[in-house]
Amino acid sequence: MATAAEWISGARPRTLPAAAAPVMVGTGAAAQVDSSAWLPALLALGVALALQVGVNFANDYSDGVRGTDLDRVGPMRLTASGAAQPRAVKGAAFAAFGVAGVLGLILCAVSGHWWLLAVGAVSVVAAWYYTGGRTPYGYRGLGEIAVFVFFGLVAVLGTTYTQADRITWPAVLGAVGVGLIACALLMVNNLRDIPTDVLAGKRTLAVRLGDYRARRAYIAMIWVPVLLGALCVFWAPWTLVVLLLVGPAALLSIPILAGARGKLLIPVLAGTGLYELGYGVLLWFGLSL
């Protein structure tokens, strides 16, 4: 039976910035038009975090029962390691989705935008079928598209809309930026796993691109958002603060361009998560002033 520490590790806390950052950017965009509200923001954050944890447990379960995680470098896999029964991990995934659903209902009631329930339902379906079902789209190189849409566009623009009742250009630029960094988080994770994914028949985008092009894609995914954040200066001058991320972006680029592999990419994965969180904090700060 898995310990509490193993369950926490299985939830992959290093990926949680991918859930928090879009809510911060979306709230900042709402503040830029004097419409930020703490209750919808907190509810949106709860939904995002619960969905991220649900995705992580769902991936653990689906990859584990398929045998994809039998030989992996990275955080503990509950199912593949045998620390937890597959049905328990699956149950944890749907429990997290349930929490997201309840918080989403409250958010819709608070904001009055009940049509967002449909968006939430699609998000849960997308989360499950990323690696679940008979033909998971994550195994066909479509994972980054889903991450960009749901952890970028939907998360940021949905957060802004529930507070401001409209979408602004800074929200759009921020949504694209956050979505790209979320894709970078997935890309470096899959870059690390290329050898084992090839053997398991998992055709992620990193596998399809190959090592060289996957590394260049990662570089673009962390540098373009800085430019997009800086473009928000036309609406909020203080958004130039995102240029503070030039240094961290350079540090993350060095091991990728140097050809780091396997365990050497784990710090890059953790750093990319912190980079996304930093992007969310700085853009929120710049848009709020």
Side-chain angles (χ1 to χ4, degrees):
M1 190 173 183
T3 65
E6 289 172 332
W7 277 106
I8 292 173
S9 178
R12 303 180 193 179
R14 289 179 179 176
T15 65
L16 295 184
V23 176
M24 299 185 75
V25 173
T27 300
Q32 192 266 326
V33 291
D34 299 320
S35 299
S36 62
W38 67 269
L39 182 56
L42 288 177
L43 288 169
L45 177 61
V47 170
L49 290 173
L51 279 175
Q52 181 66 62
V53 171
V55 168
N56 292 340
F57 281 134
N59 292 348
D60 187 304
Y61 165 78
S62 297
D63 283 341
V65 296
R66 281 189 169 85
T68 309
D69 281 346
L70 291 178
D71 184 19
R72 283 272 178 114
V73 175
M76 178 184 184
R77 270 69 169 185
L78 293 164
T79 306
S81 68
Q85 291 295 320
R87 64 177 180 274
V89 179
K90 184 178 181 180
F94 280 96
F97 291 148
V99 170
V102 171
L103 294 176
L105 277 170
I106 299 173
L107 178 58
C108 289
V110 169
S111 67
H113 299 300
W114 289 99
W115 61 271
L116 288 173
L117 285 176
V119 177
V122 172
S123 298
V124 171
V125 171
W128 176 254
Y129 285 102
Y130 169 58
T131 54
R134 293 184 178 180
T135 55
Y137 63 85
Y139 280 47
R140 293 182 287 171
L142 300 176
E144 279 77 4
I145 294 176
V147 165
F148 180 78
V149 171
F150 293 103
F151 286 98
L153 302 184
V154 170
V156 174
L157 300 181
T159 298
T160 300
Y161 193 75
T162 55
Q163 296 179 51
D165 294 323
R166 57 172 162 153
I167 300 299
T168 66
W169 277 111
V172 173
L173 292 172
V176 174
V178 168
L180 286 173
I181 302 174
C183 288
L185 196 62
L186 181 58
M187 180 62 75
V188 71
N189 179 76
N190 291 339
L191 176 64
R192 180 198 63 197
D193 293 335
I194 284 179
T196 52
D197 282 343
V198 169
L199 293 176
K202 188 175 181 179
R203 301 282 292 171
T204 63
L205 182 59
V207 170
R208 289 181 178 275
L209 290 176
D211 186 87
Y212 178 85
R213 288 188 294 176
R215 292 175 186 273
R216 270 59 190 175
Y218 172 85
I219 297 299
M221 289 170 180
I222 63 169
W223 280 98
V224 171
V226 177
L227 173 61
L228 295 174
L231 286 176
C232 291
V233 71
F234 293 108
W235 294 271
W238 278 96
T239 53
L240 283 178
V241 72
V242 298
L243 294 178
L244 290 174
L245 290 174
V246 167
L251 290 176
L252 289 171
S253 300
I254 291 172
I256 294 296
L257 294 176
R261 301 174 186 277
K263 291 183 178 180
L264 295 178
L265 287 174
I266 295 177
V268 182
L269 178 63
T272 304
L274 292 175
Y275 181 79
E276 183 171 6
L277 182 60
Y279 186 81
V281 170
L282 292 175
L283 201 50
W284 166 79
F285 176 79
L287 289 169
S288 297
L289 292 181

